[in-house]
Structure formats: structure tokens, C-alpha cells
Amino acid sequence: MTNRARLAILGILGACVTAPALADITPERRAEHLASFDQVWETIRDRQWDPYFNFREWDRLRLELRPNVEAATSDREARAPMQELLASLEKSHFGIIPAEAYDVISGDDDATEDEDAGPGELGIHPRYRDGKLVVVRVREGSTADLAGVEPGWVITRVGSLDAEDLFEAARESAGVQRAETIIAMGATARLDGDEGTTVEVEFVDTRGKERTLKIERGPEPGEEIRFGNLPGTRVYQETKTLDNGVGYYALDIFLNPPLVMPTFERFVREHIDAPGIVIDMRGNHGGIITMSMGMGGWFVEEPNIYLGELITPESRLKLVMNPRDVTYTGPVAVLIDEVSISNAELLSAGLKDIGRARVFGNRTAGLLLPSVVELLPNGDGFQYAFAGYESASGNSPEGVGVVPDVEVLETPESLAGGHDPVLEAALEWIARETN
């Protein structure tokens, strides 16, 4: 599995698929679970930014749930009170992540890990549409593209994992807002892997014909970057001028500012007189928040335009956009989907809020809160958010997602022949705005 897939899975799983029960835990193991419960409870109490947080209720939950950890006879029973504690917050990015839970969603049991191999991918972008796992885009020049995979094909199996098993795992998950998000990310994690390894994928094409293809994973595009203590990941961006003169820019993660920001500047300057600009945030996993302010500055003419505020226990940090030396004043379309996460949601919501962009596609993940993952004494991961967010209008997409101005639900039929109905809807709007 690629590093990008690992990061994405970590960012959205929260309290994930139920892990297998291990019966008759030892007193030492029980003590580890109790220490873990205490760490979870104390962290939330001490890092709380919500002025309406009910500390008395939090105390009550500790008294009610901690004895259940003490009485547990299995790891599963011991984790349940912690998951219940976090579920009471009704926010994303809070969860207990058992190591075993990754096996169903992100395990790559169909290829041998090669420590010397680089990250690889097929170039397929799968999404859950109307009960099916649909290929909505295929990266040009990727191994899937060369193998003949086309948008609109339906994936029924990846390696040893049937699509229905993936759907069931997502339905049983907790701590995330949208099953569609976890299905798309889980399928991507299964499709991707080490460069040079192969995976067998079963499809039904747009004519209803079943196809089974063994496809070798090619190199993951983009430039590798390390950020903080996170594992390395690759940043991929694409710029081009479409046939109608509209500028198109896509970014899959907000990292590596020395690479991304100059590229975005050149893109805007080259398209300053274009009839429109499209910013494609579909599948963008978020990242460094300040990058969205820098990008947004190319589209505003007045100073001190707010994208919103980050709210921590200590302060409220205003996210401000200021105009650059030149400003693009034409129509801006932003493309989103259920795998537009965190900073991608912030930028699309912010530009929509101030009336500077029209948003097309599908509702975003609703996973906006910045978070970290710590290791608990019992060896599990503990993910928690450390700040809240409010948009300029006082709202937040957290737990809801950014709702597009124009919803476009791709179907196998609308994707057939290489069509991109989301992009096409945006281009139709730009054409109307400029005529």
C-alpha cells in the first residue's frame, strides 16, 4: 500500500471495523486498557476548544464507562467503552484504531511487500455510486489506462476482496461521517501498492461485459515529501489549458509549498485572461492550511477576506486571504467529491462562502478538523482533533461536508466514452458566464 493511501486511511478511519476478539485478557493487558481509557478521557478534557462542552457529562461518562473496561474479558470489550466515549462527541477525527482493523480495509494481502520498491498505483479513481464501485476517472498514461480500463466500469473485486465485503466493512465502521468516503479510500488502498507488483481486478464494463485484468502497478506520480513525523507521501498536481481556453489545475494534497505554490502562481499568471479557471479538489486529502489562504489570494480583490477561523483552547486563528499583485477576476469553478477532505473542504467552502467560486460535484467528506494520532499504552492508535473550524459565515462543514452548488452524480452511463460529467458541468457554467 502506498504512503498516500496509508495517510488517507489513517485520516478517516477513526473507530474502524470491529477487530477480532481476543478472549481471557491478562491482568497486565487489562491494566494497559485502563491506562489507555484514562489517556483518552484526559486528553479530550484537556484539549477541549468547544465553549459548550459539558465537563460534568464528561465526568459522568468516565464513572459510567471505566468499570466496563475493568470488567472486560477481551480486547474488543475493552475498546468498546473508549469508542463509546468518543462517539458521544459526535465529531470526526476521534477514534480508537486497532491495528487489526486495517486488515479488511487497507491490507494488501495479494502482493509481497518489497522494502526496496517505490510506491505504485494503477491510476484508477473509484467511487461508490448507487450501490456500485464505479471507476470515475483513469489517470492518462497510467497502467490501468494502458490496460484499457475506462471510466464507467464497475469494480466487483480487487485481489481477494469482493466489493460487497468492502461495502459491509464501511457500513460497520464508526467514527466517520460518510460510508462513501471510507469505501473510496479503502478501494484505492487495495488497488495501489508497491511499484512493480500486480493485482487482479474484476470489472463489468459499460456494455455489461465481465472483465478480469491482472494489472501491474506503475510508479505513483508526483514528488515525494516528508512533513513532520508523517511518513513520506507524494504530491501530484496537474496544470493545463483546455480546448476552450479555460485553465485547469488539480492538486491531490496540500503539502510541499516550495513546489506547489510557485506552480500555482505560474498557472494563474498564465491564465489571467482565461475565460474561466477550474480548481479540481476531487480526491484531495487536505494538508497545510496556510496554503489555501495563499491560493485564495489570487482570486480576491479586497484585503482581509476571511476563509474562516481555527479555534483552539488558547486562541482563535483567523484564516485571511489578501490579494496578490494581480488578481484573476473571471469565473472560478471548484470540483469536489466525497474524498475531498480537510483543507480541500476549507478552501472550497471558503471560496463558496464569499461568492468567489461555484462548486460542482458531490458532497465532501465532512472531515475538516485538524487531528493527530497518538499511541496508547495498549498499542492501539488514538486519533483526536485539537481544533475546531468556523467558516466566514459562522458555519462549519465538519460532520456535514461542503454541499456543492451543482450536484453531479456520476453514473456508468454518464461516464461512458471517457466523459467527466462534473468537469463538463463546470465548463458549461463558465461558458454561460462568459457569453
Side-chain angles (χ1 to χ4, degrees):
M1 184 172 55
T2 65
N3 284 331
R4 183 183 298 143
R6 287 190 179 97
L7 286 172
I9 288 293
L10 187 63
I12 65 172
L13 279 180
C16 183
V17 190
T18 303
L22 297 176
D24 301 324
I25 59 177
T26 64
E28 292 77 15
R29 181 64 172 162
R30 184 175 292 106
E32 292 175 349
H33 285 307
L34 286 167
S36 298
F37 180 94
D38 291 340
Q39 180 175 327
V40 168
W41 185 87
E42 291 169 3
T43 299
I44 302 304
R45 179 198 62 188
D46 297 342
R47 299 300 303 269
Q48 191 51 238
W49 70 85
D50 187 350
Y52 301 105
F53 183 74
N54 191 332
F55 287 94
R56 182 174 296 179
E57 176 67 9
W58 199 243
D59 290 338
R60 185 193 68 78
L61 285 171
R62 183 179 188 275
L63 293 174
E64 175 185 317
L65 296 174
R66 194 176 190 277
N68 296 341
V69 180
E70 196 162 11
T73 60
S74 70
D75 285 349
R76 177 186 294 175
E77 289 181 8
R79 288 178 180 125
M82 294 180 244
Q83 292 169 332
E84 185 176 347
L85 186 70
L86 295 175
S88 71
L89 297 171
E90 297 184 341
K91 290 181 172 68
S92 72
H93 291 80
F94 288 92
I96 304 301
I97 311 173
E100 314 93 283
Y102 289 98
D103 293 342
V104 173
I105 297 294
S106 59
D108 187 3
D109 55 5
D110 305 297
T112 302
E113 290 288 340
D114 183 350
E115 294 298 328
D116 296 325
E121 64 153 33
L122 300 187
I124 292 173
H125 296 263
R127 297 293 185 268
Y128 184 73
R129 296 287 179 266
D130 195 24
K132 300 175 182 178
L133 188 61
V134 180
V135 177
V136 295
R137 296 188 304 284
V138 180
R139 185 174 60 81
E140 186 177 355
S142 65
T143 56
D145 181 35
L146 298 176
V149 180
E150 298 178 0
W153 287 21
V154 174
I155 300 171
T156 57
R157 181 174 62 84
V158 181
S160 61
L161 181 69
D162 289 336
E164 288 296 332
D165 293 334
L166 180 64
F167 302 161
E168 183 63 25
R171 284 190 286 267
E172 291 179 359
S173 67
V176 295
Q177 299 298 326
R178 302 197 64 194
E180 296 93 332
T181 300
I182 204 168
I183 288 170
M185 299 309 302
T188 301
R190 283 280 179 158
L191 290 164
D192 295 347
D194 289 332
E195 181 183 354
T197 59
T198 62
V199 60
E200 185 174 272
V201 188
E202 290 183 358
F203 302 92
V204 177
D205 68 19
T206 53
R207 296 183 178 181
K209 180 182 178 181
E210 295 181 359
R211 296 172 178 259
T212 300
L213 299 178
K214 283 189 175 181
I215 310 174
E216 182 176 313
R217 293 161 172 130
E220 191 178 65
E223 182 172 318
E224 186 172 40
I225 181 68
R226 290 187 176 273
F227 180 69
N229 294 319
L230 294 173
T233 189
R234 289 181 178 269
V235 179
Y236 175 72
Q237 53 185 339
E238 180 182 359
T239 65
K240 59 185 176 182
T241 303
L242 304 178
D243 291 341
N244 54 7
V246 171
Y248 172 90
Y249 176 83
L251 178 68
D252 69 350
I253 193 166
F254 286 90
L255 292 177
N256 201 349
L259 171 71
V260 172
M261 301 308 285
T263 301
F264 190 74
E265 176 178 351
R266 285 194 300 273
F267 164 75
V268 176
R269 290 186 184 278
E270 290 171 0
H271 294 89
I272 203 69
D273 296 318
I277 281 180
V278 174
I279 303 175
D280 195 341
M281 295 286 102
R282 291 177 293 180
N284 184 298
H285 303 151
I288 302 173
I289 290 175
T290 53
M291 292 176 66
S292 62
M293 294 185 282
M295 289 181 170
W298 291 100
F299 305 112
V300 298
E301 296 182 277
E302 300 294 328
N304 299 320
I305 302 296
Y306 291 131
L307 275 176
E309 289 183 309
L310 284 185
I311 307 163
T312 72
E314 297 81 23
S315 64
R316 297 178 71 97
L317 174 64
K318 292 184 180 295
L319 307 177
V320 180
M321 296 183 297
N322 283 301
R324 299 303 186 98
D325 61 318
V326 294
T327 298
Y328 179 77
T329 59
V332 178
V334 178
L335 313 186
I336 59 172
D337 65 13
E338 63 269 41
V339 193
S340 301
I341 299 171
S342 190
N343 200 38
E345 299 182 87
L346 187 151
L347 179 60
S348 55
L351 292 178
K352 177 185 177 184
D353 238 17
I354 64 174
R356 190 58 195 91
R358 192 161 178 82
V359 179
F360 296 80
N362 301 282
R363 181 163 55 94
T364 62
L367 301 173
L368 195 72
L369 303 182
S371 69
V372 295
V373 177
E374 294 181 349
L375 192 66
L376 294 173
N378 64 2
D380 290 342
F382 167 39
Q383 182 183 20
Y384 66 91
F386 58 85
Y389 168 76
E390 286 184 3
S391 69
S393 61
N395 299 315
S396 173
E398 166 61 24
V400 178
V402 180
V403 179
D405 294 300
V406 179
E407 184 179 28
V408 184
L409 293 173
E410 307 101 321
T411 64
E413 294 75 22
S414 66
L415 291 160
H419 285 279
D420 185 340
V422 179
L423 176 59
E424 290 167 5
L427 293 177
E428 289 173 5
W429 170 73
I430 289 172
R432 291 195 301 270
E433 290 292 300
T434 53
N435 286 338

